Amino acid sequence: MALARDRYVDLLRGVAILAVVTGHWLLAAVTVQGGRLGGINALEVLPWARPLTWLFQVMPVFFLVGGYANAASWSSQQHRGGDGASWVRSRLSRLLRPAVVFVVVLTVATGLGRAVGLDPGLVREAAWLAAIALWFLAVYLAVVALAPAAIGWQRRWGPGRTITLLVAWVAVADLSRLAFGVSLFAGSTYLLGWLAVHQLGVAWRDGGLTRSPRTAWLLAGAGLLGLLLLTGAGPYAVSMVGTVGPGLANTAPPSLALLALAAAQTGLILLLRGPVDRWLARPRPWAAVVAVNSVVLTVYLWHMVPILVVAPALVLTGVLPQYPIGSPAWLLFRLPWLLALAIVLTGLVMVFARAERSRPRGTPALQTDESAWATVRLAVGVLACLAALIGLAATGFAGVVSTPVPVVELFTLATGLLLVGGRVPIIGRQRVRPG
């Protein structure tokens, strides 16, 4: 039996991704010096814009609704007698199919760029920019792989204990950054910090955040107050994006200030549910939400690629004039910049969205395999996929070994895909709904 769609959660997922896309596009300031393209994060030269990242940093919303949706799906799986390994395989395959298409296309594109004699450094930088999305995808894949266990622990020990423990780990990691200038637990904090937000979504789905109307106000008020104190009197940077400005960076790895923002956003989301639900009961808004959610991962994966098309086509040629960053003219020309990027991204989505909308034929609705080997195989497969995606993103598809294509990463990814699910077909005939 299919899960009923939660329209509000679907709306939040779509809004979060579209806000991330818009934020990245607004902050990408293309420069031309000596006939050569370059780029800079506009926040580096616009201190007044850094507080605005509190509005555009909505990855916490994505992980929050991910926790909500995963808790609902996992409960359904358990009700039907399914096991965690098959649930993880199903969820990961839906994330990996569009990611495989993205990796294959970028591998071919970067290989061709090097083959025709383009500057290897320029090719690598362009690929690194395009592959930014792989970082968050890798973290979310890890969170999904841990979801059955994490949801089980939270339902056994309570959301208060579980989430507090995760937040405490982030606090310890922040203290190590302040004391030693580097996080002693950076790798784990990337995972556990975002897992804390995911578990907040699980608490929402299980009713822990909706038993009292005061919970929403408490989360919104305490989150906002904590954010103001941590970035004002405290040691954290005001910007919730990147590593710009003075103070402790908030996303590399996730910080207490970022978790305070997540709490404030959660409270606001709970407060807005009633009126937004009534709006979503109308056919047209809901149809728009369904349309966006059916391609939401494709939009996210490909959203930086249009910059690599529009920058040389319109900025380098002078069609979009170059003005001082932050000047009134520069701000005005953000509008045609956004429009051009949106047109290119729409074309990319039309070409590549089929991988997200389809699932392989003949996939059983429910599988069970609780053997130790199945669990080990799945774990190794997930780790292989994560290593490959992070390696590709970090090296700009150049690979850790100097070869025309990133052979090590591609082999690792292929091995991971086989171990996770036996196969991860790119295109099938059966449609799936977003969620």
Side-chain angles (χ1 to χ4, degrees):
M1 180 178 179
L3 286 171
R5 303 304 310 167
D6 188 310
R7 298 189 174 196
Y8 189 46
V9 169
D10 283 349
L11 172 69
L12 292 172
R13 183 187 298 107
V15 168
I17 293 302
L18 293 179
V20 169
V21 171
T22 304
H24 281 169
W25 287 354
L26 286 173
L27 295 178
V30 178
T31 60
V32 180
Q33 294 181 344
R36 183 182 176 90
L37 280 171
I40 188 174
N41 183 343
L43 292 175
E44 295 182 16
V45 294
L46 300 177
W48 59 264
R50 292 168 189 168
L52 297 179
T53 61
W54 295 12
L55 300 177
F56 284 98
Q57 176 51 280
V58 287
M59 286 310 295
V61 176
F62 181 80
F63 279 86
L64 178 78
V65 299
Y68 187 104
N70 288 335
S73 176
W74 173 230
S75 295
S76 176
Q77 175 87 339
Q78 289 180 301
H79 179 73
R80 295 181 295 152
D83 66 291
S86 61
W87 181 87
V88 170
R89 288 193 193 95
S90 175
R91 302 296 278 191
L92 291 186
S93 68
R94 294 172 64 179
L95 295 168
L96 287 169
R97 279 194 306 277
V100 169
V101 175
F102 180 75
V103 166
V104 169
V105 173
L106 254 66
T107 298
V108 172
T110 54
L112 288 175
R114 297 185 185 101
V116 299
L118 295 181
D119 180 358
L122 181 61
V123 172
R124 178 171 177 165
E125 186 176 347
W128 179 87
L129 179 67
I132 284 177
L134 293 181
W135 288 103
F136 273 110
L137 177 63
V139 174
Y140 189 67
L141 287 172
V143 168
V144 170
L146 291 175
I151 293 170
W153 293 333
Q154 181 156 309
R155 289 173 175 171
R156 185 178 302 114
W157 300 107
R161 292 180 183 178
T162 305
I163 297 172
T164 299
L165 182 62
L166 293 169
V167 172
W169 184 267
V170 174
V172 171
D174 284 359
L175 286 174
S176 74
R177 284 200 284 165
L178 290 170
F180 304 107
V182 62
S183 176
L184 302 179
F185 318 101
S188 62
T189 310
Y190 276 106
L191 174 60
L192 298 182
W194 289 114
L195 183 61
V197 184
H198 177 274
Q199 295 306 109
L200 194 60
V202 174
W204 178 21
R205 173 62 177 78
D206 289 349
L209 303 185
T210 54
R211 293 191 181 99
S212 169
R214 287 180 292 184
T215 302
W217 289 104
L218 179 63
L219 282 169
L224 181 58
L225 178 61
L227 187 59
L228 291 170
L229 290 175
L230 290 170
T231 59
Y236 294 88
V238 172
S239 175
M240 291 293 132
V241 175
T243 57
V244 298
L248 207 61
N250 292 305
T251 58
S255 70
L256 276 179
L258 185 65
L259 296 186
L261 175 65
Q265 291 174 339
T266 301
L268 182 61
I269 284 168
L270 294 174
L271 291 170
L272 293 176
R273 170 140 207 176
V276 175
D277 271 342
R278 289 189 291 273
W279 178 70
L280 287 172
R282 303 175 182 178
R284 289 185 178 179
W286 174 234
V289 170
V290 170
V292 171
N293 270 267
S294 68
V295 297
V296 69
L297 185 54
T298 305
V299 168
Y300 175 68
L301 284 170
W302 290 91
H303 78 276
M304 296 301 283
V305 175
I307 295 177
L308 304 178
V309 177
V310 174
L314 300 184
V315 180
L316 187 60
T317 60
V319 175
L320 288 179
Q322 188 181 17
Y323 296 103
I325 298 173
S327 66
W330 183 84
L331 292 172
L332 179 64
F333 270 84
R334 292 285 88 184
L335 296 178
W337 166 254
L338 291 177
L339 178 60
L341 294 174
I343 291 172
V344 175
L345 181 59
T346 300
L348 291 170
V349 170
M350 292 174 66
V351 173
F352 296 112
R354 189 178 179 186
E356 181 175 359
R357 288 172 167 166
S358 306
R359 75 177 177 189
R361 293 168 291 174
T363 301
L366 181 65
Q367 297 173 327
T368 56
D369 184 355
E370 300 179 1
S371 67
W373 163 242
T375 303
V376 171
R377 172 188 166 191
L378 177 62
V380 173
V382 171
L383 290 175
C385 290
L386 296 180
L389 294 177
I390 292 172
L392 291 169
T395 65
F397 279 72
V400 294
V401 177
S402 182
T403 54
V405 294
V407 175
V408 173
E409 286 78 8
L410 293 179
F411 176 79
T412 304
L413 180 59
T415 303
L417 295 175
L418 289 172
L419 292 174
V420 166
R423 59 174 184 167
V424 183
I426 304 303
I427 297 174
R429 293 181 181 176
Q430 197 172 359
R431 297 287 185 180
V432 292
R433 294 183 298 175

